[in-house]
Amino acid sequence: MFASPEYLSENNIIYEPADIQNHKCINFSISQNNKKFSWKYIDKSTAHSNGTDQIHVFDSMLATKFLAINGNGIVQLFRFAVQEELQSGKLVEILPECSQDNQWEFCFLYPQSNKNSAKLRVFIDYFSKQIK
């Protein structure tokens, strides 16, 4: 979970995952089926989901990141997607001890005719190594 320093300075301190319920959360969804991605984090070895729906963005993870950078709330994104913003100080990680890195599921969609493609296999293997 990430937020801008400005957002964090203007809002209540977050000590534990339950505190997230009192904040603006920027959620990502796929508009085609309105599927909302649940927020997951680890708290004492238990996974929890956040039910807050205060800002809802469809089909654009970049838009969720933009909103967070500009102080509009907290976002949960892949660490690799915000690495540059973390290094520049535009975003700050919230509750890193509760992070569920590498717990996201990915799927690859490709034509049936490509299922035995060596190029596809190399790409999938490369991508899988990069997100670990």
Side-chain angles (χ1 to χ4, degrees):
M1 293 176 283
F2 309 95
S4 71
E6 295 78 20
Y7 176 84
L8 295 173
S9 70
E10 296 171 3
N11 292 278
N12 297 331
I13 296 173
I14 301 167
Y15 294 105
E16 59 185 32
D19 295 336
I20 300 292
Q21 297 293 337
N22 301 317
H23 286 267
K24 290 182 184 174
C25 295
I26 304 166
N27 293 304
F28 172 74
S29 294
I30 298 173
S31 63
Q32 183 178 18
N33 59 8
N34 197 23
K35 179 181 179 180
K36 182 176 78 174
F37 289 93
S38 298
W39 286 33
K40 297 188 187 284
Y41 41 87
I42 301 295
D43 179 24
K44 298 178 184 168
S45 301
T46 305
H48 299 277
S49 293
N50 180 7
T52 305
D53 289 337
Q54 296 177 356
I55 300 175
H56 206 74
V57 176
F58 291 98
D59 293 337
S60 177
M61 282 199 240
L62 290 176
T64 60
K65 182 167 68 169
F66 178 81
L67 287 167
I69 290 168
N70 287 287
N72 292 289
I74 299 169
V75 67
Q76 188 178 55
L77 290 170
F78 306 109
R79 184 180 310 281
F80 69 81
V82 295
Q83 196 63 42
E84 184 177 308
E85 290 77 9
L86 289 172
Q87 290 174 348
S88 69
K90 291 179 181 176
L91 291 177
V92 176
E93 186 169 10
I94 301 167
L95 302 175
E97 67 278 7
C98 297
S99 176
Q100 245 197 329
D101 276 349
N102 300 321
Q103 297 295 318
W104 292 79
E105 294 181 16
F106 284 93
C107 63
F108 294 93
L109 299 175
Y110 49 87
Q112 177 74 17
S113 60
N114 289 358
K115 75 177 185 178
N116 295 321
S117 165
K119 289 179 184 179
L120 179 61
R121 181 78 265 155
V122 168
F123 172 75
I124 291 172
D125 291 345
Y126 172 79
F127 184 82
S128 298
K129 288 177 187 174
Q130 294 302 308
I131 62 169
K132 287 185 181 181

